[in-house]
Amino acid sequence: MSSAQPALRPYLPEDAAVTAAIFVAAIEQLTADDYSEEQQEAWASAADDDAKFAARLAGQLTLIATLESMPVGFASLKGPDHIDMLYVHPDYVGRGAAATLIDALEKLAGARGTLVLTVDASDNAAEFFAKRGYVAKQRNTVSINGEWLANTTMTKSLADAAAPGASS
Ligand code: ACO
């Protein structure tokens, strides 16, 4: 396997199919420790309606992570301060794609003046966000397509990074 570093680019309309495929594969293959098969199916069903899924990504600030120009993951910022989606294809996890995506969204949000970012983190992603300085605030149970799924609202202050004299 190549040791190439993930690169980033903006979401394009032609990424609709590949992002939907990454979304479904990530849920099916990476979340079974925390969610039942019924819950995974309900979660993944958000990509059943191609046009609606594409419109959701196109309507947000969505970045694509690539390895050797191939899309392997994506993340989206909804409004000024909410990370809506973060998904990496199971064949390419553990190579820093998610970290690269979230670092970039934090920088973009911070540059726009956002002071605090929020995310409703799935149980399998909560540790990823905790490692990156997100603090758990509240447990939620959300109804998706007839199934109840738990997640955790987490927040991260960007104020330190934006402070005068901060290194980046
Ligand atoms: N549990 C604990 N630590 C993790 C996990 C995990 N599930 N995933 C990544 N990490 C750690 C890595 O070990 C790494 O640590 P290091 O910096 O100390 O080496 C660090 O987080 C960065 O990892 P990446 O390689 O950047 O993460 P990756 O590209 O593998 O993607 C992700 C992580 C997005 C959670 C992926 O596993 C995934 O798609 N999961 C299923 C879908 C999902 O639950 N997405 C989030 C839904 S919530 C939302 O969308 C807002």
Side-chain angles (χ1 to χ4, degrees), residues 22-23 26-27 30-31 35 43 82-90 92-100 119-129 131-132:
I22 290 169
F23 176 78
I27 293 167
L30 299 173
T31 69
Y35 299 95
W43 185 0
H82 186 71
I83 297 169
D84 185 42
M85 307 237 251
L86 172 66
Y87 294 86
V88 172
H89 192 282
Y92 300 97
V93 289
R95 296 180 60 181
T100 305
V119 62
D120 293 335
S122 62
D123 287 354
N124 50 283
E127 209 176 310
F128 166 86
F129 284 106
K131 253 187 181 173
R132 312 198 72 74

Side-chain angles (χ1 to χ4, degrees), residues 22-142:
I22 290 169
F23 176 78
V24 171
I27 293 167
E28 282 178 353
Q29 296 178 48
L30 299 173
T31 69
D33 285 352
D34 297 291
Y35 299 95
S36 71
E37 214 168 298
E38 292 75 19
Q39 289 174 317
Q40 290 175 300
E41 274 171 24
W43 185 0
S45 73
D48 286 354
D49 183 334
D50 302 353
K52 194 172 165 195
F53 189 78
R56 180 171 166 189
L57 290 184
Q60 300 181 2
L61 172 52
T62 301
L63 298 177
I64 304 286
T66 61
L67 281 167
E68 290 165 349
S69 303
M70 184 175 56
V72 297
F74 65 98
S76 71
L77 186 71
K78 183 179 181 183
D81 58 6
H82 186 71
I83 297 169
D84 185 42
M85 307 237 251
L86 172 66
Y87 294 86
V88 172
H89 192 282
D91 290 349
Y92 300 97
V93 289
R95 296 180 60 181
T100 305
L101 285 162
I102 293 304
D103 283 354
L105 285 188
E106 287 176 4
K107 286 210 173 72
L108 289 166
R112 292 172 169 191
T114 297
L115 297 179
V116 178
L117 273 180
T118 66
V119 62
D120 293 335
S122 62
D123 287 354
N124 50 283
E127 209 176 310
F128 166 86
F129 284 106
K131 253 187 181 173
R132 312 198 72 74
Y134 290 75
V135 178
K137 295 291 180 186
Q138 167 187 317
R139 285 288 282 169
N140 314 300
T141 315
V142 292

